[in-house]
Structure formats: C-alpha cells, structure tokens
Amino acid sequence: MRLLLLLSLLCCSALSAQVIDAERSGFLSAPNGRAGTWAPYRLVLREVGGDTLSVSSEAPGVKLTRQVAASGRSELEVVIPVYVGEGAKLAVGQASLEPTLPLRRIDPDYARPYVAVFSSDPVYARGVLPSTPRGAICDYYELAGFFGDWRLLDGYDAVVIFNPLETRLPAGSQRALAEFCSLGGAALIVGSFRFGERAVDLPPPAEPQIMQVRDVQLQRMGYGAGAIYRVGFDELRLSQSAPDVIIDALRDQLWFGGGRAPAGVPESRVPPLRSPMGPSLPSADAAPGPLFWGLAGGLLLLCGLAPVVAGRLTRRAWPAQLALLAGCAGIGGLALLQARPLPTLEVSVLVRNGEGGARSARVFLLAEPEWTETLTVDLDDQARRGLPRKLPGRPGWRAWAEDLPLVEQGAGRGSPVQLAFGMVGEVSFRDFSTRAHRGETGFSTDDAHLLEWWLEANAYRGRRAELQPLEWRFPERPAGEVRVVIRGAIGVTAEREGG
Amino acid sequence: MGSLSAASVGSGGQISRSRANMRFNALLVAGSLLAVGGLVALGPVRFALGLTLDDAWQLALIHAELALAPLLFLPVVGGRGKALENLAAAAACASAGAATVLLFSFAVMGGVGLDTRALAGVAWLAVSGLLALGARFGPHWVLRVRVLVLCAFGLPALWHYLLLEYAGASGGHLAALSPNWALATHSISLWPLLLAGALAWSGALALPDRGRA
C-alpha cells in the first residue's frame, strides 16, 4: 500500500513537474510585434521531468503543438511561434502562461518594412541596418539561431542575413527561408549564400538578375511571390551608404520594382477584417435512408401490434405499455446509428505565383461548427507546413485563413487577365468584379467573391498583376469527417514595374 | 356514493373506449409525429415555415412533440389502478415520442434530439401527471386539465409580450412553464415541470378511490 502511495506521488510530481519561468520567457521580437501574426517566443522551463514534453501555443481557434526532448535536463529553452493578439496562451503539461504581448504594434506599411536581421555579430548588424523612422523596423537575432521553421518568421516582411563567414544554413533553415520567400517575403543575404535547393528538395529560384542599387551591384533571384537578393559583404562594407542599399533592395521587392510605394496597404499575413468568402451554399436536403423507413415501419408495427398481442395474453394493460417502452427505446437507440450528414467545409484559394518554380497559397476556410472548433497544427510534421489563423466568420460558421508555402501549381480553368492602373483589360476593376459576379468573365461566380475582395484590396497605384481562375485541390485531406466544397480558386502573379 | 356509482355505470362504455384508446396511445403519438415530420418535408409547407431539411427538421419535430403532448395523451378515467396504467402508458408515449424524434437524426449533424430528451421527459411527466390527476375525478376534469395545461404551455409568451408592452416588465422567467418557449430561447429549466409532474403523479396515485372515500 505504501509502495502504491509512493508510486502515485511520484507520478503526480512527474506530471506537474515543469514550471514556466515567466520572467525569462518572452517574445524574441519584443518590444516589436505585428498583431494578428505569429512571432518567435522563447519559453523557459524549469524543473523539467520526463523524456519529452509537449508544448502547445494556442490562439483563438488555432493550436500549434511541438514535442521537445527533455531527458537529462533540468532547464529547457524552447522557441515556438506565439500569436500576437488577445487569447494567446502557452501550455506545457499542467502549466500554462498567457504571454505578455509586445508593446509596439507594427502595422504593414510599404514605406517601412518589418525586418528580421540575422547576423553572427548583431552589434555590427545594428550599425549597418538600424531601425529608423524612414527606413525599416528591425529585430536582431544571432545567425547561429536561425529559425528552422518559417512560422517563426510569420510577422516579418523581409529577412536580412549577414553571413561574412560563409556559414551554411542547415537544411531546415534553408527550407524555412524558401517557404518564407514563396509566401511573398524578401530575403537579402549579405556575404556568402549557398541556397542548396537541390540538397533540400526545393523548387529552384528564377535565373539571377544583376541590379545596381546606389553604388553596389547585387543579384536578384525571384522565388515565387518573393525574392532573394544577394550582395557581397565587402562590396557593402565599402559602400558609402550601406543602410540605404539594403533598404532600397528590400523596397525593390516590396514596391514591385517601382520607384515609389504603391497605394494602399501591402499584402501581409495579418487576417483581413472583411471575409473574402461569399455567402455559404444552402445546405443539401437530407434524405431518409432504408434504415429510417425500416425503423419507422417497425415503430408503427410495434405500437399497433404490441397492445393487441398483449391483450390476448392478459387483461392487464401495463405489460403491453412496458413492452412498448422497451421496444421504442430500442428503436430510438437504433435510430441514432443512421448515417448523418457531414459538416461542410467551403474553401476559397488564392494561389500566389511568381518567378521560378515556387508558389504559395492562402486558403480561406469556412466551416460548419460541427467540424472542429480548433485547427491543430503539429509543428514537427514536415509534410504539413501551413499556418492557420482565425477570421471573423458569419453567425453559425467558423472561418480561418491558412497560409501554405510551396504548393503545387493548379491547372488554369480559363484565360488569364491583366490588372494594370486599376483596369482589368479595358474595364475598371470594379466593373470587372461586377461582370464576374454576373458570370460574364472567365471566372466563375464563386471565384467572383474572392476576386472582388482581392481587387478591392490591391488594385491601386503601383500594382500590376495577372489573374487566372485555377483548378485546386488540397495537398492533404483536411482532418476529420467533413464535406469539402471548393468554392473558388484564383491565381495571382504580381508583376514588377518595367517587367 | 350512489350518484357516483351511477355515473360510473353510465359512463362504462366511455371508460372502456378510453381504455382502448390508452392501449394505442403510443401508436397515436408515433403516428402523429411521423405525420408532422412528413408534412414538414412537403415543399410548400417547408417554404411557408422557412424550414430546411437539416437540423431544423428535427427541431420542428421536437417542438411538435412538446406542443402536442397535452393533446395526444389519453388517460383512462378511474381509480388508483387506472392511475398506474396511466403511468405505464405515459412512459410508453414518451418513449414512442422520443423514438420518433430520434428517427429524424439522419438529417442532423448535432445531438439536438438527444439533448432535448430531458426537457421532453419532464414535459411528458407533467402533462401525463396532471391529466392522470384529472382522470381521477372524471372525464370532464380531463378536458378541463387539458385546457389548463395548454394555457400554461402556450400563454406565457403572450403574457411576456403583454408585460413588455404595457408594464415595461419582463416575463422571461415564465419560460420555465412553457417547454416550447424554453427550447426556443435556450432557457431550459427542468425543475418547475419536474415538480409539477411529481406532485401531480403523487396526487393521482395517493388519492383514495372515490368509492372507498
């Protein structure tokens, strides 16, 4: 008995062993943070017990999980994406923590990109690329700790890497960088850069282009919706205006090669305030199956015959009623075994094409609440690299937007159209949206909602793009029993000024 | 005593007919609810009611079950022995109603059918208890109690409206008396109906037979 008590005490202590050190835990980007995105968070755990720990980072409607090896260690540091917004929560076993959110809110801005700067000498990096009101907002990290998951870079517009020592990034970090660029991010590498796309099975970037930015020559390689820039370390060091060269290179990508910032708000992974989904489809009429008809007939037969049969056997009424009670309960139980309609998941997809072989997608999900309340993402799963976030949904539905890097190209369903100077072809973008809603274009009327949403957000000065209706299917079937309806899919290829 | 006996003899045929009705009471419940389910599935009815053939279908059937319970339960008039038969019949009716409602589970994703069984159970308990209590006093009392129960179930929403309109006060707490209103407003409270049913059945089973009294 004592042994049992001792064992149970030991088990209980092991279960609730780890303690979150709230003082030493915090956002690595603090005091900066882009609301509505995921930012890198250092979680410090003390009194760790067990071989592995399951760490989860929760946001409204989304849960990210990661397994961490903990054997033989009393203290542990984990870097995990944490949502910058209300409802963020970290949990490790029984312990949980509501993180203190970054104080400085960084909104998407064409003029002032939000940059993660990695360098083996962060002090040098601060000198070369400082945060300035007219330049960029920078967070500085050690190059040795380059993230192995693009989801830690979610909030950033660009990544700058100072690599004078020819440090080769591990395969995971190379993949993270490629995924970040495919989602529209810009990466600028100062110094040696060996991308190694063959080594990690990544789509190749476009052919390098030589650019002259101020007094420095650099290479640009388009990668999906994003781009990779490379400049020699010595060339930059000898330049008279190194910070401006970096900012100009980043703006070259963010401004689509133009000389001034486009109008409006830049595309970012911040969830949109207005849902791009059209009205949900009416639910399909449920039709009774053979089991329904069989049980209904059985119920009527039972209720009609049981009193007659019981009346032959006994003059008392209650035995028949009790038999009915039992029989009806059985029929009710069998009725619950009938096949039920599956919840509907409506999907609209915006595929972002670009240069090279990479492309990404933003998938808008609108689901009936019976499907799931929370989308769970296993950060250790190398096959699923998406990052969802909750969207405002209409009553009775739940909505998410999930960013998927490096997706397959879908076949076109119609001819592409060109957007330039607020005109699609020869009509204004609003007229084109109206025509799309009427089914007078190559886009379906379901595509029209997504098309209209994208045009309203982007069809302003400085934006040129090719738009095309696409075929699309999920890389992997969504978890759980659900009826998937693809409402629309359009491809967007942002075009640079001057081609 | 003599007049009571005469009344019993005079209404003997009526009592045996009501006993036969009671035997097939569950059939009446199941048949009526299946008919309501079929009626709701008809296009014109469905469009007029603004219903779709999904969760709303079963919910409409549950509302029909709650509303029709006072009309569908047919107690046998008589003494304590008959009250016991009424109790068994009430259980069979509630079970038949539940089976019919659950038959329509094929149309729903959630568990509204199962979730409302407690409410339907106490509604059947209260209705059958009050009608069985009335049946202890004669067929006329069954009719009177039926009208009273229908008023108690149906009128609180009207009283609430009148209170809001003319007194500026809310009668929302009266939803506990009306199962349909409680279901519609998600303010389900089982205790008032449970108490009414328990008291009514206690009375129906405990009251001495009139012949012995």
Side-chain angles (χ1 to χ4, degrees):
Chain A
M1 188 66 188
R2 282 180 186 172
L3 185 66
L4 276 174
L5 276 172
L6 191 63
L7 278 173
S8 60
L9 273 174
L10 279 172
C11 288
C12 289
S13 61
L15 279 175
S16 58
Q18 60 278 350
V19 174
I20 297 176
D21 190 336
E23 293 293 321
R24 291 163 59 203
S25 301
F27 281 97
L28 292 175
S29 62
N32 301 324
R34 177 166 285 175
T37 65
W38 300 77
Y41 189 94
R42 181 197 288 120
L43 181 67
V44 181
L45 299 168
R46 288 188 282 109
E47 300 168 31
V48 177
D51 287 340
T52 55
L53 287 176
S54 178
V55 181
S56 66
S57 171
E58 297 170 26
V62 180
K63 184 178 181 181
L64 310 182
T65 62
R66 167 167 287 168
Q67 301 293 321
V68 183
S71 57
R73 302 176 69 176
S74 60
E75 188 172 297
L76 200 61
E77 272 191 27
V78 184
V79 177
I80 188 168
V82 169
Y83 188 70
V84 183
E86 291 298 320
K89 187 182 160 191
L90 280 152
V92 187
Q94 304 293 318
S96 66
L97 173 73
E98 287 187 17
T100 306
L101 297 179
L103 295 173
R104 198 174 298 153
R105 176 184 168 140
I106 311 298
D107 290 323
D109 187 349
Y110 275 121
R112 213 175 168 213
Y114 185 30
V115 185
V117 182
F118 291 87
S119 172
S120 48
D121 183 0
V123 176
Y124 169 77
R126 277 178 196 271
V128 176
L129 185 60
S131 283
T132 56
R134 293 188 178 181
I137 304 156
C138 301
D139 294 331
Y140 302 93
Y141 302 97
E142 283 280 352
L143 181 59
F146 194 90
F147 305 141
D149 193 331
W150 80 267
R151 289 166 281 210
L152 292 162
L153 296 167
D154 179 47
Y156 294 106
D157 299 312
V159 172
V160 173
I161 300 173
F162 288 95
N163 187 17
L165 303 175
E166 300 199 357
T167 306
R168 189 185 175 93
L169 291 177
S173 299
Q174 289 177 21
R175 171 168 279 276
L177 196 60
E179 288 169 337
F180 175 75
C181 290
S182 78
L183 286 157
L188 188 142
I189 289 94
V190 183
S192 169
F193 170 60
R194 288 185 290 177
F195 193 58
E197 71 276 1
R198 287 180 189 159
V200 288
D201 190 24
L202 294 169
E207 287 299 312
Q209 296 170 319
I210 304 297
M211 296 175 62
Q212 185 73 30
V213 178
R214 296 182 189 253
D215 55 345
V216 176
Q217 200 175 57
L218 49 80
Q219 281 182 325
R220 178 185 184 277
M221 289 165 280
Y223 198 79
I228 300 161
Y229 294 82
R230 195 226 155 190
V231 57
F233 184 78
D234 288 332
E235 286 96 317
L236 192 71
R237 187 168 57 83
L238 296 172
S239 167
Q240 298 297 311
S241 52
D244 294 334
V245 170
I246 296 173
I247 295 295
D248 284 358
L250 297 180
R251 283 179 178 167
D252 174 71
Q253 169 63 18
L254 300 175
W255 294 2
F256 307 99
R260 57 176 177 163
V265 178
E267 285 185 272
S268 72
R269 285 178 286 278
V270 175
L273 295 174
R274 187 187 146 217
S275 171
M277 305 285 284
S280 52
L281 295 169
S283 55
D285 284 349
L291 187 57
F292 171 85
W293 295 114
L295 290 174
L299 180 66
L300 291 175
L301 273 177
L302 175 74
C303 294
L305 288 181
V308 174
V309 173
R312 301 244 171 183
L313 300 174
T314 174
R315 287 176 57 81
R316 297 176 190 280
W318 60 266
Q321 303 301 322
L322 292 185
L324 281 176
L325 174 66
C328 290
I331 288 174
L334 287 174
L336 291 173
L337 300 178
Q338 294 177 97
R340 297 185 177 217
L342 294 176
T344 304
L345 173 65
E346 295 187 7
V347 181
S348 291
V349 189
L350 191 73
V351 178
R352 301 180 71 191
N353 300 309
E355 300 160 79
R359 57 194 54 80
S360 63
R362 174 161 257 210
V363 182
F364 297 96
L365 307 169
L366 187 67
E368 286 184 293
E370 286 79 7
W371 178 45
T372 184
E373 190 176 345
T374 304
L375 288 186
T376 302
V377 176
D378 179 5
L379 294 173
D380 300 318
D381 186 349
Q382 294 301 313
R384 296 194 64 191
R385 307 286 287 174
L387 183 60
R389 64 203 87 218
K390 196 117 172 42
L391 291 182
R394 62 179 61 90
W397 292 77
R398 295 199 172 105
W400 292 269
E402 182 169 11
D403 291 295
L404 300 175
L406 298 179
V407 296
E408 296 288 322
Q409 166 76 311
R413 274 188 289 118
S415 305
V417 293
Q418 301 291 328
L419 164 77
F421 310 112
M423 307 284 282
V424 180
E426 294 181 350
V427 296
S428 79
F429 73 88
R430 289 206 170 111
D431 287 346
F432 187 79
S433 299
T434 307
R435 287 188 184 180
H437 279 293
R438 290 179 188 152
E440 295 172 359
T441 65
F443 293 87
S444 72
T445 49
D446 277 340
D447 290 329
H449 297 283
L450 186 60
L451 182 73
E452 181 189 14
W453 173 84
W454 190 87
L455 287 172
E456 282 293 338
N458 294 284
Y460 296 104
R461 175 173 56 75
R463 290 305 307 270
R464 301 193 314 132
E466 185 182 86
L467 304 161
Q468 187 181 25
L470 294 178
E471 296 285 350
W472 200 83
R473 62 184 174 83
F474 265 108
E476 282 190 13
R477 187 171 168 72
E481 293 290 316
V482 66
R483 184 173 70 101
V484 179
V485 181
I486 305 288
R487 291 294 303 276
I490 62 171
V492 176
T493 308
E495 292 181 350
R496 290 166 58 78
E497 291 293 319
Chain B
M1 170 101 182
S3 62
L4 278 172
S5 302
S8 302
V9 171
S11 59
Q14 193 178 1
I15 288 171
S16 65
R17 196 166 53 248
S18 74
R19 193 164 184 217
N21 288 343
M22 185 272 280
R23 281 175 180 268
F24 294 100
N25 208 339
L27 179 65
L28 182 67
V29 171
S32 302
L33 290 180
L34 280 173
V36 169
L39 195 67
V40 169
L42 291 176
V45 178
R46 188 174 12 136
F47 297 136
L49 295 174
L51 293 174
T52 47
L53 295 186
D54 51 15
D55 301 45
W57 198 1
Q58 195 183 40
L59 196 60
L61 205 67
I62 294 165
H63 275 289
E65 181 197 14
L66 296 172
L68 291 178
L71 296 174
L72 293 179
F73 184 64
L74 306 170
V76 186
V77 178
R80 274 189 199 174
K82 297 291 181 285
L84 273 173
E85 287 183 9
N86 286 335
L87 185 59
C93 286
S95 182
T100 315
V101 166
L102 294 179
L103 274 179
F104 287 82
S105 297
F106 71 87
V108 301
M109 281 179 274
V112 67
L114 273 181
D115 295 345
T116 53
R117 284 311 86 202
L119 177 66
V122 294
W124 276 108
L125 182 77
V127 166
S128 61
L130 290 167
L131 288 173
L133 182 64
R136 291 297 308 273
F137 297 100
H140 298 299
W141 275 101
V142 175
L143 291 175
R144 287 169 190 156
V145 171
R146 205 184 294 282
V147 172
L148 281 174
V149 171
L150 283 171
C151 290
F153 278 17
L155 291 181
L158 178 63
W159 295 334
H160 172 58
Y161 165 72
L162 293 174
L163 277 170
L164 279 178
E165 189 71 24
Y166 296 109
S170 169
H173 56 281
L174 296 173
L177 290 176
S178 169
N180 289 86
W181 188 18
L183 179 62
T185 55
H186 304 287
S187 54
I188 295 170
S189 173
L190 303 177
W191 290 108
L193 291 175
L194 191 65
L195 188 68
L199 286 176
W201 274 113
S202 303
L205 294 169
L207 281 177
D209 286 343
R210 280 183 290 177
R212 290 177 193 169

